[in-house]
Structures are given as C-alpha cells and as structure tokens.
Amino acid sequence: MSSFFDGLYSGRVADLRPSPIREMLHLVRRPGVISFAGGMPDPEAFPVDLFYEAAGILKSQGKDVLQYGTTEGYGPLKDFLIHWTAPRMGRKLEHDEMLITAGSSQVSDLLCWALIDQDDLILIEEPSFLGVFLNMHNHGAKFLTVPCDDEGMMVDLIPEKVERAQKEGKKVKLCYTIANFHNPLGTTLSLERRKKLIEYAHRYGFAIMEDDPYGYVRFEGEHLPTLFSLDDRGVVVYAGSFSKILAPGTRVGWCCGSREIIRKMAIFKQGVDVCTSLVAQALVYEYCRLGHLDSFLPKIIEHYKKKRDAMEDAMREHLPLDLVHWVKPEGGYFYWVKMKGINSDELFKRAVDNQVAFVPGKAFYPNRDGGENELRLCYTFASPEQTQEGMKRLGEAMKGMAG
C-alpha cells in the first residue's frame, strides 16, 4: 500500500536494516516464555534506593541541572570519570579528551558521522554486536569481517584483508571491537592480539573503536590493558557506559580519544541532540560522588557471577554436550553456543513453542552470511530457577532435532 512518504524517502531508506532482536520481542514477551534473548540487566540488581538518594542533587542544584548543558558533558561527571578511569586508560585524561554521550552506542554513531563516507570499509569481528553494525550500515559503511575463535578476533588475518582492499582502491577507516566479554561471543581478546591490533592500526592507518560496556563486570581472570592504554599515537577511541554498572535507563556513556577526534564528534553531537540529558548526568555524578559506584559495583558483579554459574551448570546438565561448544565467559552477559547439525532458526521455532527463547546466530553476522548453527544466550535477566528450567526446555528441543 502506497503512502504519502513514498516519494520523499532518502536513498538509504531502501537499505535500512531493523534490529532482529527488537522485531522478535513480541514472541519472547508472551506469558510463560523464559527469555535468554535480550541483553538486559536484572532489575533486581538496580541500586534503586541509592540512586534515589542521588536525586537530592535536583533539590540542591536544580536551577543549574535543569538548564541546557554543554555538548561536551557535565564538568563534575567528567572530573569523576577522569580520575575513576585512569587505571584503565593508563593515565588521567584532559577534559577535551572525553565526551559524555547518550550511552556508548552513540559513540559509534558520532564516530561514523566523523569518519565514514558511503562504501568506506569497517573492520569488524564476525559475529559482532548488531546494535552497532546496523547503525554503521545505515551510515553507508561496508564491512570487512574478521572471524573469531575462543580468544576473540583472529587479528593475524587483518593484514591480508586490508592489503587486498587497498589494492582494490577501497578505504579501510575503522576497526570496531569489543575486546572484553564480547557480545555475542563472551570471549576476551588476548594481550598478544591486543598488541598486534594496535600495531596493524598504526601500520595501515585505520582508527579503532574499543567498545567496553562490560569491561568492569569481570568475575575472574586477569585484567588486561585496554587498547587505549596500549596506543601511543591516538588511533583508539574508547567507549564506556553506565548501562551495565549502574542502569541502562540513565542513557549515560562516555568516550575517550585524541582532542582532534573528540572535537569533531562533539560538533556532530551538537546537531544530533545538543547534549546528553543534564539531569541524567547530574544524577549519575551524584551517585558516583557519594561513593555508590565503587561500593555497589562488587554486588552487581557477584550477582551476575552467580547467574553465569547457574547457566553454566544448567547447560552442562541439559544440553547435548556432544553437539555443542561454548566458551565460559569471565565476565559480561553472554554465552555463544556453536552446534553440530542443528539449525538455529528451526531450533528457535521449536524453542518458542516450548516456551523458551534465545537469539539465532545469523542476526550477529554483519554481512548476513553465517550463524546458521549458532545462538546467543543472555544469563543476566532470568532467575537461576528460570535458567534451570529454560535450559531443560532448550536441551529437549535440541535433542529432538538431533534425534
């Protein structure tokens, strides 16, 4: 059926890609369905009372924080983050090396505005976080995908891929990576691979976006240096977020980078939303100033570790172990399951009929090529009891297909 807007749409509308996860929500929200689909925090882990205490800043400073704010971000929050992030950044940043954003997802949007022209290439892990690569696609980017193993992106494949693209006259401008507790893989990029990725960025002249929303949610294992801290030439833009360490409803994130790129991103942000909500920034700042971020974060980590352990145990008990493979994540939100001879789309239909849901793997492939025998499971939202029952149902569906 035609509409008034048919003759007015831009050329990019014809190639828009919606989020498969958002599109399937009507299925997984049905009563009785145990969902491992959406990557949502557990509301039981939200520090409601502590955040309410932080709302006192509206009474004491309301005339300031209810006003427009600067695009670059609320000064006191930036001061806090500069000190709090220094161990991960390798040093204390200057104010003009940081931009406060509407969540870390806005970082990729602003970076694309600053760097990406139509058909420019972005190096990206395969599979990867669809929320970011759908936005990059809508900016006109094309993807140069790099496969992954249990240690994350196989960075040694980058030189051959970049050199071939450059010989064809194509521009490789950016590499997008989730080095810690990857979404959807759950893997962590090794130190050796981190160093090589920085080396290749310097050699071939592409920037890196290091997306790190899960980096502070580590259950065990060694804290590895950020790509940002390993880089001495300013090619890395680091993205952080309060979504997983406080609550996603704040919609407050930040990014760090060279003064030059941060300034360009801030100018684009002026036209996108003027500034990140000053009320939200002030509430987050006060929560941090009162010491709640440091005191409550260990409780969030312990809460999700128990849920990770519950899923690990349930998977080992109920899934057909001869047909599946996964990496036990050391932090973050996700398991990535590879299956032998089981199609994830068909499994999804059977699983939903059996009142359990996940995300089929092909949703996470930027070029829509792969993932037919893979799936993502989020362990943070369901209770341990729901996880046990959900894995039982999922295992039954898998065994029914294998049989």
Side-chain angles (χ1 to χ4, degrees), residues 97-144:
E97 295 177 298
M98 178 180 288
L99 177 67
I100 304 297
T101 58
S104 64
S105 58
Q106 190 181 47
V107 178
S108 66
D109 185 58
L110 296 174
L111 198 54
C112 282
W113 279 115
L115 298 182
I116 301 302
D117 291 316
Q118 187 70 34
D119 295 332
D120 281 343
L121 289 174
I122 295 177
L123 282 162
I124 190 168
E125 292 140 333
E126 187 173 61
S128 187
F129 173 44
L130 74 162
V132 164
F133 71 66
L134 289 175
N135 182 42
M136 292 173 167
H137 166 81
N138 293 337
H139 272 280
K142 304 297 182 185
F143 299 107
L144 202 57

Side-chain angles (χ1 to χ4, degrees), residues 23-35:
E23 296 290 304
M24 70 168 62
L25 283 181
H26 70 284
L27 292 174
V28 303
R29 285 179 173 169
R30 294 188 319 201
V33 172
I34 297 173
S35 178

Side-chain angles (χ1 to χ4, degrees), residues 8 52 88 114 194 281 295 321 337 345 349 364:
L8 302 178
Y52 181 75
R88 290 180 71 80
R194 291 173 193 236
Q281 291 184 74
S295 66
L321 298 182
V337 180
D345 284 338
K349 295 174 185 177
F364 301 97

Side-chain angles (χ1 to χ4, degrees), residues 18 60 73 124 152 159 165 184 202 212 220 234 240 242 249-250 285 299 315 321 366 382:
S60 62
I124 190 168
H202 292 171
D212 195 28
E220 66 247 342
F242 285 98
T250 63
Y285 162 69
K299 298 177 183 178
M315 290 168 70
L321 298 182

Side-chain angles (χ1 to χ4, degrees), residues 17-25 28 35-40 122-137 143-148 176-178 181-186 211 214 333-339 344-345 348 357-379:
R17 294 192 202 172
S19 166
I21 296 179
R22 298 293 175 183
E23 296 290 304
M24 70 168 62
L25 283 181
V28 303
S35 178
F36 305 120
M40 295 188 295
I122 295 177
L123 282 162
I124 190 168
E125 292 140 333
E126 187 173 61
S128 187
F129 173 44
L130 74 162
V132 164
F133 71 66
L134 289 175
N135 182 42
M136 292 173 167
H137 166 81
F143 299 107
L144 202 57
T145 58
V146 183
C148 300
Y176 173 76
T177 182
I178 307 171
F181 322 130
H182 189 274
N183 178 5
L185 295 171
D211 199 359
Y214 311 100
Y333 275 40
F334 303 108
Y335 275 91
W336 183 252
V337 180
K338 298 180 180 180
M339 303 174 290
S344 57
D345 284 338
F348 177 79
F358 57 85
V359 185
K362 69 179 183 182
F364 301 97
Y365 279 72
N367 291 329
R368 305 193 221 188
D369 182 20
E372 292 82 2
N373 306 112
E374 299 167 320
L375 60 88
R376 189 191 76 174
L377 299 168
C378 176
Y379 52 78

